[in-house]
Amino acid sequence: MPLDNKVSVVIVNYNTKEMTDTCIESFKKYHEDLDYEIILVDNASNDGSQEFFRRKYPDIKFIGNTKNLGFGVANNIGVEEAEGEYVLLLNSDTITFKPFVQKMISSFNNNKNVGIVGLNLLNKDNTPQNSYGFFPSKGQVFFEILRLHKIKKLFPLVKPLGCEISSFNKGDFLVDYVSGACLMIKRSLWADLKGFDDNIFMYFEELDLCYRAKKFLGKNIIVNPKAQLIHLGGGSFEQYSKDKIKYFYESYLYLLDKHYSQIDRIIIIIQLIIL
């Protein structure tokens, strides 16, 4: 049975033992008063991660996969063990420097029909990082090519694929999708959506999830810029080295095939090649 208001934090680890350890330690430090559980899913790391985390954190739920199942599937496995009302998907390459979870929960309470909430991601030097985006479309890619999304006055009309959120908003605001580096969703909605698409090994899982939540179930996707988190970037993705590009384009093309008409796919792909 779900525990009301409890947060289930799901972290996927793949050969990032030190980074994941920092992620867990910093989260715990700033959320001592929060009712939460941590579920750590290891994708068959070979850096001693499984032994290390089992020994150091007997209080967390640890799942050790026997092979690398990919980022999306690993998160799905983790959420299956979740008990909380809210699920927080947290990248292993994030660092908490102040409480942020309660702020994200407040976005569910203060906005109508909220499905998914994101926050303000920062680089290590505290400069803003792209934290959200808008679904690919012919018009948006065209504006990207012309760099019109850089003009602040055009922002409400342009809807760029991604922006520095602190440049435009001070309060909660609607977007199409939020970064999967830190994403909060009610466990009941996750179940309705059947989680991440198992066909996506890595990249664009959150875009697909938000697309289905918004387009099929009519849910709002919210960013709370007052909630902040450092995102180092790369993390376990660096382990894939040369395969990253392959996974990136495979996932993007799969996403277009899944949700877009043939003519839209062709136009978007041509425009992206020009970029």
Side-chain angles (χ1 to χ4, degrees):
M1 294 294 291
L3 303 176
D4 290 345
N5 297 317
K6 182 170 183 174
V7 178
S8 297
V9 184
V10 179
I11 303 170
V12 175
N13 176 73
Y14 178 61
N15 290 328
T16 55
K17 181 173 63 177
E18 291 79 12
M19 192 176 289
T20 302
D21 187 34
T22 298
C23 171
I24 295 173
E25 289 280 14
S26 63
F27 183 89
K28 284 174 165 283
K29 177 180 178 181
Y30 289 98
H31 292 97
E32 292 181 349
D33 297 330
L34 181 71
D35 184 15
Y36 72 91
E37 63 176 351
I38 292 179
I39 303 167
L40 179 61
V41 184
D42 183 82
N43 257 339
S45 297
N46 55 22
D47 64 348
S49 284
Q50 296 206 13
E51 298 80 4
F52 174 80
F53 289 113
R54 288 183 190 276
R55 182 178 67 254
K56 182 171 181 179
Y57 298 106
D59 58 321
I60 70 175
K61 293 181 179 178
F62 184 88
I63 301 171
N65 293 330
T66 56
K67 66 178 181 178
N68 185 359
L69 300 175
F71 183 74
V73 173
N75 272 290
N76 288 342
I77 291 172
V79 178
E80 286 180 3
E81 300 298 320
E83 298 181 74
E85 177 183 1
Y86 299 94
V87 170
L88 178 72
L89 304 183
L90 188 64
N91 270 22
S92 62
D93 59 350
T94 58
I95 301 174
T96 304
F97 64 97
K98 61 181 178 180
F100 67 86
V101 173
Q102 290 292 3
K103 291 184 177 69
M104 297 181 78
I105 293 176
S106 71
S107 293
F108 283 94
N109 299 326
N110 297 334
N111 297 281
K112 293 182 179 180
N113 201 33
V114 179
I116 296 171
V117 173
L119 45 55
N120 186 1
L121 294 173
L122 303 175
N123 296 308
K124 195 171 184 179
D125 61 359
N126 286 327
T127 56
Q129 187 179 116
N130 287 356
S131 306
Y132 71 97
F134 295 88
F135 300 138
S137 73
K138 301 186 292 293
Q140 287 157 19
V141 176
F142 173 75
F143 279 116
E144 278 272 307
I145 293 172
L146 296 181
R147 312 303 288 171
L148 296 178
H149 67 287
K150 296 294 184 180
I151 302 175
K152 182 176 179 180
K153 290 183 179 179
L154 293 180
F155 175 73
L157 301 175
V158 171
K159 284 192 173 183
L161 294 174
C163 300
E164 296 175 352
I165 66 174
S166 61
S167 299
F168 301 105
N169 297 274
K170 294 183 178 180
D172 289 5
F173 60 98
L174 294 168
V175 295
D176 283 347
Y177 71 90
V178 297
S179 170
C182 183
L183 178 157
M184 181 175 284
I185 182 173
K186 284 195 173 183
R187 193 161 63 90
S188 57
L189 177 59
W190 179 272
D192 291 341
L193 294 169
K194 300 186 186 325
F196 282 145
D197 187 328
D198 286 348
N199 293 307
I200 302 177
F201 186 82
M202 60 185 288
Y203 292 119
F204 301 110
E205 302 92 351
E206 72 270 52
L207 197 157
D208 173 72
L209 184 77
C210 292
Y211 189 97
R212 289 183 281 125
K214 184 172 183 178
K215 297 292 186 178
F216 302 156
L217 299 182
K219 295 296 183 178
N220 289 327
I221 314 300
I222 297 286
V223 172
N224 184 333
K226 294 180 180 179
Q228 298 182 332
L229 182 69
I230 292 174
H231 180 221
L232 300 176
S236 60
F237 290 166
E238 294 300 324
Q239 307 296 322
Y240 297 99
S241 59
K242 62 183 180 181
D243 291 329
K244 289 193 299 181
I245 296 177
K246 177 177 75 75
Y247 288 130
F248 182 91
Y249 284 105
E250 281 182 354
S251 297
Y252 192 75
L253 292 176
Y254 172 79
L255 189 74
L256 293 179
D257 287 340
K258 181 178 179 180
H259 295 303
Y260 289 79
S261 67
Q262 184 175 5
I263 184 64
D264 282 350
R265 293 199 303 268
I266 293 172
I267 293 174
I268 291 173
I269 291 171
I270 290 174
Q271 290 177 329
L272 286 174
I273 291 173
I274 297 174
L275 282 175

